[in-house]
Amino acid sequence: MATANDDTPAAPTDLHAFAVRLRRMNGEINRLVHGFAGDHGLHATDVQALAAILDSEEPMTPKRLREHLGLTSGAVTACVDRLERAGHIRRVRESADRRVVHLHYAADARSAARTYFRPLAQATEAARTRFTEDELSVVLRFLTAMSEELAQVTPPVR
């Protein structure tokens, strides 16, 4: 069993245990993301942008993408340009206001991403089989709560 800093036995669900496992999982996902980015001539941030566009519940705009990623306008423009040149996204002017641009994941790129990340989906499914539906419901609630909490965290100003 893990121990806390004061050498008393720590609970298997203490903060340190969560931190270690979340870092490890994040590291493994980042390894896959960096591989995808490298294979497609992209930056890791570009892959984060693709995920944000894919997961968005409403049409993604460059402004919303900038806010989501915490980048400057220029950095988002460069990112969107790279993604468009590589065929991963397309810019669409869908509004009566022609200044509004929506970013859409290109169908061919979505297929390529699905193929590349299929091992991640398979690993997720294999892990899911180890849990009951009730346990999975709790896991999803935890992951949702973590995302909500992390969305509220502001990086320290340098």
Side-chain angles (χ1 to χ4, degrees):
M1 181 186 283
T3 59
N5 290 339
D6 63 4
D7 290 331
T8 59
T13 57
D14 72 348
L15 181 59
H16 178 74
F18 272 90
V20 168
R21 279 147 188 92
L22 287 169
R23 277 194 304 268
R24 287 179 184 165
M25 184 179 70
N26 187 57
E28 292 303 323
I29 291 171
N30 280 342
R31 181 177 56 81
L32 295 172
V33 165
H34 286 274
F36 180 82
D39 288 354
H40 289 87
L42 303 173
H43 298 222
T45 303
D46 299 343
V47 181
Q48 287 179 312
L50 284 173
I53 293 166
L54 180 65
D55 294 343
S56 181
E57 294 177 5
E58 57 188 276
M60 183 61 77
T61 63
K63 179 183 178 189
R64 285 188 52 237
L65 186 60
R66 177 182 58 79
E67 291 166 352
H68 177 78
L69 296 175
L71 298 175
T72 65
S73 295
V76 166
T77 298
C79 172
V80 169
D81 287 347
R82 279 191 303 274
L83 291 172
E84 189 174 43
R85 271 194 312 272
H88 289 277
I89 65 164
R90 50 192 180 79
R91 289 176 168 116
V92 178
R93 296 185 190 282
E94 293 183 356
S95 171
D97 182 349
R98 300 293 293 160
R99 295 172 296 177
V100 177
V101 174
H102 291 164
L103 307 174
H104 294 278
Y105 211 124
D108 290 346
R110 188 181 299 234
S111 177
R114 276 193 190 115
T115 299
Y116 190 91
F117 288 105
R118 186 166 290 127
L120 177 58
Q122 291 166 336
T124 302
E125 185 56 29
R128 287 179 71 243
T129 65
R130 299 182 198 177
F131 299 89
T132 66
E133 284 298 314
D134 287 343
E135 290 171 324
L136 289 171
S137 177
V138 172
V139 169
L140 283 176
R141 281 187 20 238
F142 172 77
L143 292 173
T144 299
M146 276 297 299
S147 293
E148 290 168 352
E149 292 296 328
L150 289 172
Q152 301 303 312
V153 174
T154 307
V157 178
R158 292 186 228 175

